[in-house]
Amino acid sequence: MKIGVIGGGQLGRMLALAGTPLGMDFAFLDPAPDACAAALGDHLQADYSDEQQLRQLADAVDLVTFEFESVPAETVAFLSSFVPVYPSAQALRIARDRWFEKSLFRELGIPTPEFADIQSQADLETAVASIGLPAVLKTRTLGYDGKGQKVLRSAEDVAGTFAELGSVPCLLEGFVPFTGEVSLVAVRARDGQTRFYPLAHNTHEAGILKLSVASSDHPLQALAEDYLGRVLDKLDYVGVLAFEFFEVDGGLKANEIAPRVHNSGHWTIEGAECSQFENHLRAIAGLPLGSTAKVGESAMVNFIGEVPALEQVVAIDGCHLHHYGKAFKPGRKVGHATLRSADLASLRQGIDQVQQLIGH
Ligand code: AMP
């Protein structure tokens, strides 16, 4: 079976690393000449709107998926007329736009911060008057890793901010005084069968994920599964979907969903019976899903900007290096380490050792 992937970054690369042993082949559509997934499949170097190349991709593969949600909706619609695309164009349309996404949460009765659609500086001022400060202004689309957003704490922060974010449609959200951030990764098959991984505790720095630790018997697991289950069923979703939550007042508030394999699920490569990457491929290919059970204790540490020396990383007990083969650049995710241990104390020790390597 040949899988077409829109986007050729590290998520595409890790999909191919999981699918190759299943006998799958891969083709990646990505305009970047140095797309890091290209080492693992065919690389169609073309723009996402290049219909000739899209047609060529559709002819060459059995089905198409994507590794990032900012794919233009027209690209997915065009491909869908020639080849099955999972997740669907509708799921992508909602998940890529913060307004649609938060409106869906509201419709499904999932708690989320107060929010307002912002089309102008005047809208922003009106919304600040009703939501209050602090608040967070985010572009509705294309934001990632803390980009395209600004925390507003005082009236001075509000002045001119709509233009500062590019005068594009935005969302104003109430600031959540969260005690923690968790994410739930789930996989849903074509027949609706759904499996959930354990919740991961996430730590961000400057908007970028630094550390995910898989939980055991988290008291909010069932609630998170209920919320994510509502979204999956509503969208008749096929594939892996991640849901990021704020922990607040002993409950959960929805932050965002990602219609793809997710950074906070990278621990599953060595830390779960079947990784999020393999399960995504199984789901879209119509295969039985694999177990999402955790194998021991597990965590993931991101390498941002550079990857420490191989010999230092693999010298740490239970530590596995994932180097994305990308050029090192400040603020860029270039690799991660997955840690696996028999108990939490040795997991903590491993995390500390990895963090020392990257100067924490
Ligand atoms: P996002 O791109 O929406 O996931 O935001 C990136 C990070 O910014 C989150 O993981 C939080 O740490 C922080 N953040 C985003 N929205 C809010 C909010 N409404 N209140 C407090 N912190 C937020």
Side-chain angles (χ1 to χ4, degrees):
M1 179 179 286
K2 189 155 185 169
I3 313 282
V5 184
I6 309 300
Q10 66 265 23
L11 300 180
R13 181 177 165 110
M14 288 186 272
L15 280 169
L17 285 168
T20 304
L22 305 181
M24 294 173 174
D25 295 310
F26 290 83
F28 303 94
L29 180 78
D30 193 315
D34 57 352
C36 72
L40 289 139
D42 304 335
H43 180 199
L44 279 79
Q45 195 193 330
D47 198 80
Y48 298 118
S49 58
D50 183 334
E51 291 196 351
Q52 207 185 333
Q53 291 292 321
L54 289 175
R55 188 63 218 261
Q56 204 175 314
L57 177 74
D59 287 345
V61 301
D62 298 292
L63 51 90
V64 167
T65 189
F66 35 84
E67 58 128 46
F68 71 111
E69 58 271 45
S70 301
V71 182
E74 309 77 56
T75 303
V76 183
F78 181 82
L79 282 167
S80 302
S81 54
F82 303 106
V83 67
V85 179
Y86 300 111
S88 68
Q90 189 222 2
L92 190 72
R93 189 183 80 87
I94 290 173
R96 73 194 294 276
D97 184 312
R98 293 183 191 275
W99 169 255
F100 294 143
E101 169 181 74
K102 288 241 161 33
S103 302
L104 177 72
F105 301 157
R106 186 184 273 166
E107 181 194 331
L108 296 175
I110 300 170
T112 194
E114 270 194 84
F115 63 96
D117 184 28
I118 307 296
Q119 300 284 340
S120 64
Q121 182 66 27
D123 282 354
L124 176 60
E125 277 154 29
T126 309
V128 165
S130 76
I131 291 176
L133 292 177
V136 189
L137 185 68
K138 302 177 177 179
T139 56
R140 274 178 53 169
T141 60
L142 301 173
Y144 69 99
D145 288 348
K147 294 184 177 70
Q149 59 180 271
K150 185 178 173 185
V151 179
L152 311 178
R153 297 186 187 279
S154 64
E156 296 85 78
D157 290 339
V158 178
T161 298
F162 183 70
E164 208 181 297
L165 286 192
S167 299
V168 292
C170 286
L171 196 81
L172 185 74
E173 284 177 23
F175 187 88
V176 181
F178 58 81
T179 51
E181 291 188 81
V182 290
S183 58
L184 186 67
V185 174
V187 57
R188 189 171 183 275
R190 288 193 202 166
D191 65 4
Q193 190 201 4
T194 301
R195 293 193 177 180
F196 300 93
Y197 287 95
L199 275 169
H201 281 278
N202 301 323
T203 309
H204 295 84
E205 218 177 82
I208 305 182
L209 182 67
K210 283 274 176 173
L211 170 70
S212 289
V213 183
S215 65
S216 300
D217 303 321
H218 196 292
L220 296 170
Q221 179 80 28
L223 184 64
E225 289 187 10
D226 172 24
Y227 292 157
L228 181 43
R230 292 183 210 181
V231 172
L232 291 168
D233 290 342
K234 175 76 183 177
L235 299 178
D236 193 16
Y237 194 86
V238 177
V240 161
L241 186 132
F243 205 149
E244 293 184 63
F245 297 100
F246 299 118
E247 272 185 282
V248 59
D249 301 329
L252 295 172
K253 270 195 181 173
N255 179 20
E256 62 178 356
I257 50 173
R260 55 173 166 78
V261 287
H262 194 253
N263 197 170
S264 68
H266 290 359
W267 66 268
T268 64
I269 300 176
E270 283 92 10
E273 290 279 355
C274 184
S275 77
Q276 63 164 348
F277 299 99
E278 182 174 338
N279 257 332
H280 181 71
L281 294 168
R282 287 186 184 213
I284 63 175
L287 296 166
L289 299 180
S291 166
T292 48
K294 202 158 58 105
V295 187
E297 302 297 339
S298 186
M300 186 274 331
V301 180
N302 261 343
F303 295 136
I304 319 277
E306 58 184 315
V307 177
L310 169 64
E311 56 275 21
Q312 289 184 312
V313 179
V314 298
I316 297 168
D317 227 20
C319 187
H320 302 265
L321 177 64
H322 296 268
H323 193 305
Y324 303 155
K326 288 161 60 169
F328 294 172
K329 208 163 108 184
R332 191 179 206 202
K333 291 174 181 170
V334 287
H336 74 265
T338 312
L339 288 141
R340 218 178 78 187
S341 300
D343 56 78
L344 269 180
S346 37
L347 184 72
R348 271 280 145 216
Q349 209 174 7
I351 294 171
D352 288 348
Q353 285 175 291
V354 175
Q355 289 187 324
Q356 272 164 22
L357 289 183
I358 53 177
H360 271 254

